[in-house]
């Protein structure tokens, strides 16, 4: 396990007092490791979990060639570009059981969607395209010329999944679609990585827990609820350690308790340079921690590293994310750094949702040399393109604009001022929260 200094030494442009957002992410991807324990869960419990083994398909899906339409099945070799095809209907194939008869040349079988293709037949004409023919006492259909090719409207055996081949790979995040796919294979139980355990506590003598009486200079602890919400949406097991007063013994006890039970520890507050508190001192004492000023807004100060579970065993440690105190800075640093790092720890190999491009409806001031996140409302414009406008007070403590916003405008490190009408990147909350 590499020390924080060793990881920093591998990174180009590592400057703890002016770290770029991309360097922070590069650092974190080297710091964290996926959990190693697996467990078996039922499909109902599997949503949001991450597969710990390749899943080999036990069957072919679909298990037979079958019809994609309600219509008439026939042998496509009889099709001709020159003339319509006149076929006698010799039976009906229903979904759920095989039609037992034999259709010869000049014959077809009425077939329902999903029904097994009768032996020797490979093409289906949808019922709306045929006309009845007076031949054979109305028991015949006419297929217009030039409409179909052999194989049309037939689903092939194994066209979705092939028996013996991986249907899903290790590291797959189990979305509703993935869970449905597992069910289509008849699988009831899957191996997943165990849930990530994440401990959280807020720091600061001015922070009130809910239920405490308001007092001068004090604010209620909102960070605990935003962070716990973000963690629950990620499917982590949350260990809530409340608010910890700014006293060395209490902080030490909280860190040791957290490190003892969790894979990762998240704290808020007390990481800015020059804070008159013990949080930084205690992080340094109990672990291997770097203190950064990140070139971003909001969310400048952050502490990252490991807290040792046992002071004599340096390899056994919980990852530490010491987030700033300001409520919006907490959410932005979580989305920018903590979320991708936790997904890596959860064993997920999913590529992050791409940022969208939207037209900025107003000019935006932006200083090159830092990444800025602005709360915005993204909407579809009358010409069909996406537009975004900044919403509300952008102060790093203002949660109301965070509630109103449906995404963050991400103004990249090197970017300067934005003119009205320019394209900007946006991170939609729906894709991440
Ligand atoms: P700090 O990073 O400790 O300097 O805190 C920066 C600002 O965030 C201060 O105004 C704090 O009062 C506020 N703050 C810190 N922790 C919390 C919290 N858990 N909930 C709400 N606000 C907080
Ligand atoms: Mg503080």
């Amino acid at each position: 396990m590499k020390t924080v200094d060793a990881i920093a030494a591998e990174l180009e442009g590592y400057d703890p007092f002016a770290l770029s957002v991309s360097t922070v992410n590069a650092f974190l991807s080297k710091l964290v490791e996926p959990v190693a324990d697996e467990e078996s869960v039922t499909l109902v419990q599997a949503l949001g979990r991450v597969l710990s083994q390749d899943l080999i398909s036990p069957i072919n899906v679909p298990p037979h060639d079958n019809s994609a339409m309600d219509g008439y099945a026939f042998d496509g070799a009889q099709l001709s570009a020159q003339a319509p095809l006149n076929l006698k209907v010799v039976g009906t194939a229903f979904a759920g059981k095989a039609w037992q008869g034999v259709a010869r040349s000049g014959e077809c079988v009425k077939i329902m969607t999903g029904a097994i293709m009768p032996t020797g037949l490979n093409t289906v004409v949808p019922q709306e395209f045929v006309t009845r023919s007076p031949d054979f006492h109305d028991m015949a259909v006419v297929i217009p010329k030039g409409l179909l090719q052999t194989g049309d409207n037939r689903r092939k055996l194994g066209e979705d999944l092939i028996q013996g081949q991986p249907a899903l790979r290790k590291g797959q995040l189990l979305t509703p679609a993935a869970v449905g796919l597992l069910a289509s294979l008849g699988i009831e139980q899957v191996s997943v990585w165990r849930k990530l355990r994440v401990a959280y506590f807020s720091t600061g003598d001015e922070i009130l827990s809910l239920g405490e009486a308001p007092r001068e200079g004090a604010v209620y602890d909102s960070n605990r609820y935003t962070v716990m919400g973000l963690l629950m949406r990620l499917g982590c097991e949350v260990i809530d350690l409340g608010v910890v007063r700014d006293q060395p013994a209490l902080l030490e006890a909280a860190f040791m308790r957290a490190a003892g039970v969790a894979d990762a520890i998240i704290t808020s507050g007390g990481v800015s340079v020059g804070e008159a508190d013990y949080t930084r001192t205690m992080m340094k004492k109990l672990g291997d921690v770097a203190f950064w000023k990140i070139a971003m807004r909001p969310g400048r100060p952050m502490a990252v590293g490991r807290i040792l579970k046992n002071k004599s065993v340096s390899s056994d440690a919980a990852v530490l994310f010491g987030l700033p105190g300001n409520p919006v800075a907490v959410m932005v640093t979580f989305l920018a750094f903590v979320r991708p790092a936790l997904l890596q720890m959860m064993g997920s190999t999913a590529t992050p949702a791409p940022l969208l491009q939207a037209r900025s409806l107003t000019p935006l001031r932006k200083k090159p040399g830092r990444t800025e996140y602005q709360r915005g409302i993204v909407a579809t414009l009358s010409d069909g393109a996406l537009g975004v406008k900044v919403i509300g007070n952008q102060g790093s403590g203002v949660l109301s604009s965070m509630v109103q916003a449906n995404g963050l405008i991400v103004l990249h490190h090197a970017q300067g001022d934005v003119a009205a009408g320019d394209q900007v990147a946006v991170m939609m909350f729906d894709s991440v929260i």
Side-chain angles (χ1 to χ4, degrees):
M1 190 178 278
K2 283 185 185 142
T3 63
V4 158
D5 282 347
I7 296 170
E10 290 174 1
L11 296 172
E12 235 168 88
Y14 180 87
D15 172 359
F17 299 106
L19 218 50
S20 70
V21 165
S22 57
T23 310
V24 172
N25 282 318
F27 183 102
L28 289 172
S29 68
K30 289 171 183 277
L31 178 78
V32 305
E33 275 161 23
V35 289
D37 310 319
E38 299 173 66
E39 64 190 22
S40 178
V41 294
T42 66
L43 228 45
V44 178
Q45 301 163 320
L47 186 69
R49 306 295 295 273
V50 178
L51 274 189
S52 59
Q53 293 170 15
D54 284 354
L55 205 128
I56 306 300
S57 179
I59 55 171
N60 290 309
V61 178
H64 313 278
D65 285 8
N66 69 86
S67 177
M69 304 290 266
D70 288 342
Y72 298 87
F74 64 101
D75 178 2
Q78 302 166 89
L79 287 165
S80 144
Q82 276 73 49
L85 183 60
N86 195 337
L87 298 171
K88 180 184 180 191
V89 183
V90 294
T92 304
F94 294 98
K97 56 176 186 282
W99 181 71
Q100 297 298 346
V102 178
R104 293 183 185 78
S105 182
E107 296 177 343
C108 69
V109 175
K110 189 170 164 61
I111 194 163
M112 308 301 155
T113 304
I116 299 174
M117 291 294 286
T119 314
L121 307 188
N122 55 18
T123 309
V124 174
V125 58
Q127 62 186 11
E128 55 271 32
F129 292 135
V130 300
T131 45
R132 290 283 181 169
S133 147
D135 301 351
F136 310 114
H137 312 289
D138 258 8
M139 287 306 291
V141 291
V142 181
I143 303 170
K145 64 179 180 187
L147 178 75
L148 294 174
Q149 290 185 334
T150 299
D152 278 359
N153 303 310
R154 169 197 50 173
R155 302 176 185 139
K156 294 272 299 170
L157 174 148
E159 74 174 22
D160 186 358
L161 301 164
I162 297 173
Q163 184 174 11
Q165 298 285 309
L168 294 175
R169 296 284 185 180
K170 172 178 167 174
Q172 168 78 45
L173 188 63
L174 295 174
T175 58
V179 171
L181 185 144
L182 292 170
S184 79
L185 297 175
I187 289 170
E188 292 176 83
Q189 198 82 21
V190 280
S191 289
V192 295
W193 298 117
R194 74 159 165 76
K195 276 193 179 183
L196 205 63
R197 292 192 276 265
V198 184
Y200 173 81
F201 59 90
S202 301
T203 70
D205 279 347
E206 80 281 27
I207 309 302
L208 293 172
S209 284
L210 299 186
E212 283 189 87
R215 62 184 142 78
E216 196 178 45
V219 294
Y220 281 110
D221 181 8
S222 57
N223 291 343
R224 182 145 51 114
Y225 296 88
T226 46
V227 172
M228 289 200 300
L230 288 160
L231 289 171
M232 286 178 200
R233 285 282 171 98
L234 262 185
C236 297
E237 194 179 309
V238 183
I239 300 140
D240 173 14
L241 298 178
V243 179
V244 178
R245 296 267 153 264
D246 193 25
Q247 294 171 22
L250 296 178
L251 283 164
E252 176 158 12
F255 275 118
M256 292 319 290
R257 201 175 142 204
V261 292
D263 304 298
I265 305 169
I266 301 177
T267 63
S268 82
V271 290
S272 357
V273 184
E275 280 263 329
D277 64 27
Y278 293 104
T279 308
R280 287 165 59 98
T281 319
M282 199 49 69
M283 288 175 176
K284 254 186 236 163
K285 181 181 160 193
L286 300 177
D288 179 21
V289 180
F291 296 91
W292 294 333
K293 276 189 193 159
I294 304 171
M296 69 188 295
R297 202 165 108 143
R300 224 151 80 89
M302 203 169 136
V304 161
R306 299 191 186 93
I307 299 290
L308 304 183
K309 290 177 192 259
N310 175 334
K311 283 174 213 163
S312 60
V313 187
S314 66
S315 63
D316 198 11
V319 173
L320 171 72
F321 302 95
L323 305 185
N326 274 309
V328 178
V330 164
M331 294 193 76
V332 169
T333 50
F334 187 99
L335 295 176
F337 309 128
V338 182
R339 186 174 188 278
L342 293 182
L343 281 165
Q344 194 181 331
M345 294 178 78
M346 289 162 65
S348 167
T349 53
T351 40
L355 299 182
L356 302 181
Q357 290 289 317
R359 193 186 305 155
S360 181
L361 300 182
T362 59
L364 301 170
R365 294 195 61 95
K366 162 69 171 62
K367 242 168 86 176
R370 69 184 186 198
T371 306
E372 290 187 20
Y373 300 84
Q374 302 204 7
R375 283 145 265 177
I377 292 190
V378 179
T380 307
L381 304 172
S382 55
D383 64 1
L386 289 182
V388 62
K389 60 170 186 270
V390 165
I391 178 80
N393 181 330
Q394 296 286 318
S396 64
V398 179
L399 273 181
S400 56
S401 50
M402 199 67 184
V403 175
Q404 286 172 280
N406 62 3
L408 289 173
I409 302 171
V410 183
L411 300 173
H412 293 294
H413 193 84
Q415 202 168 346
D417 287 344
V418 172
D422 282 357
Q423 293 289 114
V424 289
V426 291
M427 175 197 284
M428 296 304 294
F429 288 155
D430 257 354
S431 66
V432 288
I433 301 186

